[in-house]
Amino acid sequence: MASKIVMSSKTVKTSDEILCEGELEKRSDSLFQVWKKKRCVLTADRLRLFSGKTSPAKELFFHSILKVDCVEHTSKYVYFTIVTNYYKEIDFRCTVESCWNAAIT
């Protein structure tokens, strides 16, 4: 459950609050560039990517993101690329209904 801090009768949301949770596909860096499904959790300051139940999450902090480029829309998927401050490109795709690219942006 997301934690909240109450200050002066105002509720302040912490960075642990989940904004979006669900499935996202990430293209691998391997030679064949296979799309792999990841369970993802989006909070105010990061995107967490889970590969399996026992694997630790990979975290992509928003302060390390330079931009999010929407690459292509098809009838089924939205393809987008996250570019980091070090110009590393990470390719993702999501279903049109999920709007992950808009939530991350």
Side-chain angles (χ1 to χ4, degrees):
M1 193 63 158
S3 58
K4 294 184 180 183
I5 302 170
V6 178
M7 301 174 69
S8 305
S9 73
K10 292 184 181 180
T11 303
V12 178
K13 297 176 185 176
T14 67
S15 61
D16 291 336
E17 181 179 357
I18 295 173
L19 303 175
C20 190
E21 186 174 13
E23 191 173 273
L24 189 58
E25 293 184 56
K26 179 185 172 292
R27 187 159 52 186
S28 67
D29 294 332
S30 69
L31 177 65
F32 299 109
Q33 296 186 336
V34 179
W35 289 102
K36 295 183 179 181
K37 293 181 181 181
K38 307 284 184 180
R39 187 176 68 80
C40 300
V41 175
L42 179 67
T43 61
D45 66 342
R46 74 189 78 177
L47 176 65
R48 291 186 182 112
L49 303 163
F50 298 89
S51 294
K53 292 183 179 182
T54 59
S55 302
K58 291 184 180 177
E59 295 183 322
L60 184 58
F61 289 89
F62 291 139
H63 68 270
S64 68
I65 294 177
L66 185 63
K67 63 181 176 175
V68 178
D69 285 334
C70 185
V71 178
E72 182 181 359
H73 281 270
T74 66
S75 60
K76 188 174 180 181
Y77 292 109
V78 175
Y79 295 83
F80 62 99
T81 301
I82 293 178
V83 182
T84 68
N85 291 337
Y86 299 105
Y87 298 99
K88 179 180 178 186
E89 295 184 354
I90 307 166
D91 297 325
F92 293 94
R93 75 178 180 186
C94 60
T95 60
V96 173
E97 302 85 31
S98 69
C99 300
W100 271 99
N101 60 315
I104 293 169
T105 302

